[in-house]
Amino acid sequence: GQNIDQPTEMTATEGAIVQINCTYQTSGFNGLFWYQQHAGEAPTFLSYNVLDGLEEKGRFSSFLSRSKGYSYLLLKELQMKDSASYLCAVRDSNYQLIWGAGTKLIIKP
Amino acid sequence: GAVVSQHPSRVICKSGTSVKIECRSLDFQATTMFWYRQFPKKSLMLMATSNEGSKATYEQGVEKDKFLINHASLTLSTLTVTSAHPEDSSFYICSADPGLAFYEQYFGPGTRLTVT
């Protein structure tokens, strides 16, 4: 079966750095996505990785290793507004998105 | 950027009635739209994939006679929850795919359905 694993919840301090990991086992691979979702709102796109390596976009970076079936989302200089759920999703060989359960990130002052 | 609207944002209905939710891509054409539902503190669950001009493809376990999907144009897909029951109460989210030239799906803001 297809499976995406990510931690259920993480806590970090304002101004610090946090890394959210995601491991996947899917039928084929056509890219990995990270989305941010605030409570009661729809997901918003953060990043896309299809090749191995690090993609940096401001305070957020995303890393991919296809051979290990592994990705992480790195958030720097954490702000209170970063408190949200972070969803990892993989596009499989049928171009269907397989979603992880999401990681709830709690930022403390 | 691409914008997807969803209407209504919130709806409360009585058990046994039907509710229609609209999903529109405002500034692009979407040959494919997706309907998700999300329970509190849970991830997105794909309900169906909707292709313009053809029947929707439903995921296993989703009743196609209960969740009617129509994708009549390249910018509009509708989800109708028929004979709604309290267990249908959920957050319904649509997304639109502009095509393979783009890599991300664009999400609507979601519809909170409460069935009393």
Side-chain angles (χ1 to χ4, degrees):
Chain A
Q2 310 206 87
N3 195 49
I4 308 264
D5 286 317
Q6 47 182 135
T8 304
E9 186 174 297
M10 299 182 71
T11 302
T13 304
E14 189 177 15
I17 299 173
V18 71
Q19 176 175 312
I20 303 174
N21 296 324
C22 170
T23 57
Y24 63 90
Q25 293 172 315
T26 57
S27 302
F29 179 85
N30 281 297
L32 184 143
F33 300 79
W34 284 97
Y35 282 82
Q36 180 191 61
Q37 186 178 27
H38 285 99
E41 299 179 10
T44 54
F45 171 78
L46 288 179
S47 68
Y48 170 73
N49 294 70
V50 68
L51 299 176
D52 291 350
L54 187 68
E55 294 282 341
E56 296 185 81
K57 189 186 292 185
R59 293 190 298 116
F60 294 2
S61 302
S62 57
F63 171 83
L64 174 67
S65 168
R66 288 171 296 170
S67 63
K68 295 181 180 178
Y70 167 71
S71 172
Y72 67 72
L73 180 69
L74 190 72
L75 292 77
K76 303 176 184 176
E77 301 170 15
L78 286 170
Q79 302 175 9
M80 298 303 293
K81 67 179 182 179
D82 297 329
S83 292
S85 288
Y86 291 85
L87 307 174
C88 174
V90 172
R91 181 171 274 167
D92 68 9
S93 57
N94 294 319
Y95 278 83
Q96 180 166 315
L97 276 181
I98 311 300
W99 293 87
T103 298
K104 182 179 180 181
L105 177 63
I106 300 169
I107 309 297
K108 295 185 175 180
Chain B
V3 177
V4 176
S5 71
Q6 216 174 311
H7 179 80
S9 57
R10 289 180 180 271
V11 58
I12 300 173
C13 70
K14 292 186 176 180
S15 189
T17 61
S18 295
V19 174
K20 179 185 282 188
I21 303 170
E22 292 187 350
C23 178
R24 293 181 184 271
S25 56
L26 298 184
D27 51 1
F28 66 98
Q29 293 182 331
T31 53
T32 305
M33 290 185 171
F34 304 88
W35 287 96
Y36 297 87
R37 70 184 293 184
Q38 187 175 34
F39 293 103
K41 301 182 181 180
K42 299 292 184 182
S43 189
L44 297 171
M45 184 191 81
L46 179 65
M47 298 174 67
T49 301
S50 168
N51 292 298
E52 185 267 337
S54 64
K55 291 183 178 179
T57 302
Y58 289 82
E59 295 300 301
Q60 194 171 10
V62 178
E63 298 176 61
K64 60 181 180 181
D65 293 332
K66 180 168 185 61
F67 299 99
L68 301 178
I69 291 173
N70 183 278
H71 193 159
S73 77
L74 288 172
T75 59
L76 173 64
S77 177
T78 60
L79 167 68
T80 301
V81 183
T82 63
S83 188
H85 288 98
E87 56 265 31
D88 298 325
S89 298
S90 189
F91 191 48
Y92 292 87
I93 309 174
C94 72
S95 71
D97 188 344
L100 290 179
F102 300 85
Y103 49 75
E104 66 178 280
Q105 292 180 17
Y106 298 97
F107 284 87
T111 296
R112 174 76 57 192
L113 171 63
T114 303
V115 185
T116 60

